[in-house]
Amino acid sequence: MFVSYVLIKMRKTIIAGNWKMYKTITEAIELANGVKRELFQMDSQNIEVVLCPPFTALAEVYEVIADSDIQLGAQDVYWQEEGAFTGEISCKMLKDAGCKFIIIGHSERRQFFGEINAFVNKKLKAALNSEITPIVCVGETLSEREGNRTFEVLGNQIKEGLDGITEEDVLKIVIAYEPVWAIGTGRTAKPIQAQETQKYIRNLLKELYNNDVAEAIRIQYGGSVKLENILELIQQPDVDGALVGGASLSIESFAGLVKIACGVKK
Ligand code: PGA
């Protein structure tokens, strides 16, 4: 009884900004400074905030946020620790740059860079070994949703992505449900659709692990989250935060999203 209470209380809302391939170093410093300024009174008991700039700006953004409760995240990683892997970057390097989170398996990586579930699994294990929190993205395309294959696709992404991950380790991850058709399109999943799908994910985690684990894992929603829709989305019982792309690129909108999320009591 005590254990499940503690686990449920661990589901602190998490809002992460995925800056994608935007922002020069100067622009990134400006954005991070502005977000920090806007959120200086943030109640970090209630909410966790993560900024995920491009690799080139990680170290500088870390400098800006190091004296705040805002955390740093990367957008991708390679699973080897070091070696002759031109163009890649390891968990060890990301940790050194100040990262506490890594986005893994984003649909843009899957779509444009051939990322498959087996790679997601290796990256996930590498992040866990380095004590960096993975934000594992899953989501269906429009044709998969229209073909009634959403649950099948998500089921495979989760089962293959989490293959071999222990109960102890799975508690350290965050899942981001991001329907591909909602990313960068302005077309958001209806709150009820997000809830239904995220409930499915939680039930699957229950099957794969157990109820306490499923209740403890945070599941974010991502896909055209903005000031106008965040409240209804994160009021859903199984939506524990948001992974935000476009609306994380301006100080006002990102800080505004965090403030709204901070006010939601579940
Ligand atoms: P979007 O991106 O908010 O611009 O739709 C979300 C994401 O890709 O993480």
Side-chain angles (χ1 to χ4, degrees):
M1 202 54 206
F2 176 68
V3 171
S4 49
Y5 174 76
V6 171
L7 289 174
I8 289 164
K9 293 309 273 181
M10 274 166 46
R11 253 165 65 190
K12 190 195 272 192
T13 300
I14 173 166
I15 307 290
N18 172 12
W19 296 0
K20 308 194 180 186
M21 200 175 71
Y22 292 100
K23 305 292 174 189
T24 61
I25 295 175
T26 312
E27 290 165 348
I29 292 171
E30 194 185 316
L31 177 54
N33 258 316
V35 169
K36 180 171 92 164
R37 193 176 55 240
E38 285 290 318
L39 299 181
F40 81 104
Q41 283 184 316
M42 174 176 97
D43 179 3
S44 52
Q45 302 287 12
N46 206 15
I47 201 156
E48 196 157 16
V49 176
V50 186
L51 301 182
C52 305
F55 290 140
T56 47
L58 283 173
E60 282 80 2
V61 169
Y62 181 67
E63 285 295 305
V64 173
I65 60 178
D67 62 350
S68 75
D69 288 324
I70 301 171
Q71 308 283 347
L72 188 68
Q75 299 173 20
D76 191 22
V77 70
Y78 188 56
W79 58 82
Q80 298 282 355
E81 193 175 278
E82 59 184 13
F85 302 105
T86 303
E88 294 298 326
I89 203 151
S90 70
C91 289
K92 188 176 162 189
M93 293 164 176
L94 294 177
K95 207 169 171 180
D96 189 39
C99 290
K100 294 272 188 324
F101 290 82
I102 306 176
I103 299 172
I104 294 175
H106 190 280
S107 67
E108 285 149 15
R109 304 286 332 157
R110 295 178 188 261
Q111 217 177 331
F112 305 129
F113 303 99
E115 181 120 328
I116 54 171
N117 294 333
F119 295 174
V120 171
N121 183 255
K122 283 175 190 274
K123 292 180 178 190
L124 184 51
K125 288 177 177 161
L128 289 167
N129 278 337
S130 297
E131 295 175 342
I132 303 182
T133 302
I135 299 179
V136 186
C137 302
V138 294
E140 81 287 359
T141 62
L142 186 58
S143 67
E144 288 162 349
R145 177 160 283 265
E146 288 176 346
N148 287 326
R149 295 186 50 225
T150 300
F151 292 164
E152 173 199 330
V153 170
L154 293 175
N156 287 338
Q157 288 175 341
I158 288 177
K159 281 184 215 149
E160 292 172 23
L162 299 185
D163 187 41
I165 306 286
T166 64
E167 183 179 318
E168 192 190 337
D169 275 346
V170 82
L171 285 167
K172 299 175 190 152
I173 73 168
V174 174
I175 293 178
Y177 166 57
E178 298 206 307
V180 179
W181 46 272
I183 296 179
T185 57
R187 188 176 161 181
T188 324
K190 294 193 188 83
I192 189 79
Q193 276 176 320
Q195 168 55 26
E196 177 196 61
T197 315
Q198 299 196 189
K199 179 87 195 157
Y200 165 79
I201 294 173
R202 205 175 299 288
N203 283 338
L204 180 62
L205 293 168
K206 191 160 143 186
E207 263 173 48
L208 296 175
Y209 296 91
N210 59 53
N211 190 53
D212 285 348
V213 166
E215 288 298 328
I217 294 177
R218 292 181 294 177
I219 309 175
Q220 297 175 296
Y221 168 79
S224 298
V225 173
K226 45 187 183 261
L227 290 169
E228 298 75 45
N229 59 24
I230 189 166
L231 182 62
E232 261 200 289
L233 284 162
I234 65 164
Q235 278 172 336
Q236 304 300 315
D238 287 293
V239 179
D240 306 311
L243 180 55
V244 186
S248 72
L249 295 173
S250 98
I251 300 166
E252 294 69 29
S253 64
F254 188 68
L257 293 174
V258 174
K259 287 176 191 169
I260 294 171
C262 214
V264 175
K265 299 268 179 294
K266 286 193 185 168

